[in-house]
Amino acid sequence: MGTKELIESGKAVLGIEFGSTRIKAVLVDESGAPLAQGGHAWENRYENGVWTYSLDMIWDGLADAYSDLVNNVKNEYGAEIKKLGAIGFSAMMHGYMAFDKGDNLLVPFRTWRNTITEEAASKLTKEFGFNIPQRWSISHLYQAMLNKEDHVGSITFFTTLAGFIHWQLTGEKVLGIGDASGMFPIDSKTGNYNEEYLDKFDALAKDMPWKIRDILPKVLKAGEKAGTLTAEGAAKLDKSGVLEAGIPLCPPEGDAGTGMVATNSVAVRTGNVSAGTSIFAMIVMEHALKGVHEEIDVVTTPVGDDVAMVHCNNCTSDINAWVNIFKEYSELMGQEVSMDALYTNLFKVALKGAPDLGGLAGFNYFSGEPVTGFDEGRPIFVRNVNADFSLANFMRLHLYSAVSTLKYGMDILFNEEDIKVDKLYGHGGYFKTEEVGQRIMSAATGGPVTVMKTAGEGGAWGMAVLALYLEKAGSMSLSDFLNKEIFAGQEGTTVTATNDEIKGFNDFMKVFKNTLPIEKAAIDSMKA
């Protein structure tokens, strides 16, 4: 069967992921091979002290990304999409979307990027004896309660962005276990929310007209049926009205889960690093953590295995800002340079820099960074008067800075908790330029880093693979499905840093820790 026939027969599978800066749609065949893609660029807004995306931005972005994919399919294959084998939606984890009995959004969507829940996160961590980060949905709910916000008494349901989209398109208030684990702690033994912590939260919320169990979405594991596309949902997704209702959907997942799938790192002692606007590392653990660390989340894979997660709010935003400066300079000098060429060449020159940076330091903090204790951020570049201030060292600094806070958290995981990882995979824009991001990340983690060819497809592709798994879940585990049917025969590129590079990064981290007061002073003295 040719590609056109496959698509028009309704056997192709669709994955859509809402990232921080881009909504991406990927269409795959029955083997998981990408057939077409579409996209829509968007940016969060800072309104009334909150990072948010409006409902119009969500629905317009979804329709535009799907329309872009449809046009790609028409242009490439001359085919029309009327039905699909399955659909899966994923999005940025955490955050807060709360609704009343009329299904009205009570307050603007509060994204993961907000660092406005410090009091709630701290109190819940103490109450549960389990780390509850600021960006988690339950932190946002409890902070709203502590703030005595009017809307909390009217809540009948709250969820994540992926859960919201899935609900609106299917009518089902469900969530994949990986995404759910970023709302409220999961008990990996039961595959559901932790009963002890649910009871403890209800005690804190004794004056509320609801119980926490009643307003959380139902937890589902990868491969479980999660509803079908309604006629209303089809109309939201496809403005042209061609797409038919009745298409099965898999459980909606977070970007952590799709990253694990996209890098084939759902098995114990595997891990991956997703590096884009934010950066996070996830290691599937063979044993529970011994202590409570505010720098480390415990979430789950899409099938419910415990994962240690180090999540940092900042990664490539400062690099992007500097690349734009270089673009402006090139244009000023009458040179038209493509952004791809700029990124590639600037990343490559970084490898010529000194492993210890030659006296340069800096922070990439566009927003707050809870791992190091900052509610706000100020991007900073500083250097000693006798520093080797070269372009190579300058770019190497910014690549170091992008992963510095992740290294800060990973050291706790490896050194204090004795968590082991046999394979570490990288994906995201940081790894787009061949070798460069891998070599820097290897220097930071002290071991080899692999990038698969499919990693560039990203979370939307990972979500499409989870949708494909709907048909196979009854016959094999997710790990076996990935190894036997998706990644069989595929090879990645593995890079291992030299001892000098590892030492250089460790020397940089000493400077990083010693200069944290500079970041604090900038925040205190330079108001946003």
Side-chain angles (χ1 to χ4, degrees), residues 270-325:
T270 63
N272 77 89
V273 176
S274 174
T277 304
S278 64
I279 184 170
F280 52 85
M282 295 170 291
I283 311 296
V284 186
M285 298 186 291
E286 57 187 336
H287 62 78
L289 297 180
K290 295 175 286 188
V292 177
H293 306 277
E294 292 186 1
E295 302 87 350
I296 299 170
D297 303 16
V298 177
V299 292
T300 79
T301 68
V303 292
D305 292 323
D306 283 336
V307 174
M309 180 180 185
V310 180
H311 185 288
C312 309
N313 287 352
N314 301 278
C315 184
T316 58
S317 293
D318 201 27
I319 294 174
N320 297 341
W322 281 106
V323 172
N324 283 328
I325 288 292

Side-chain angles (χ1 to χ4, degrees), residues 53-75:
Y53 301 87
S54 70
L55 291 179
D56 285 344
M57 291 173 69
I58 293 169
W59 295 123
D60 290 346
L62 174 64
D64 190 51
Y66 181 76
S67 175
D68 193 34
L69 177 133
V70 167
N71 289 332
N72 183 204
V73 168
K74 287 180 180 177
N75 293 335

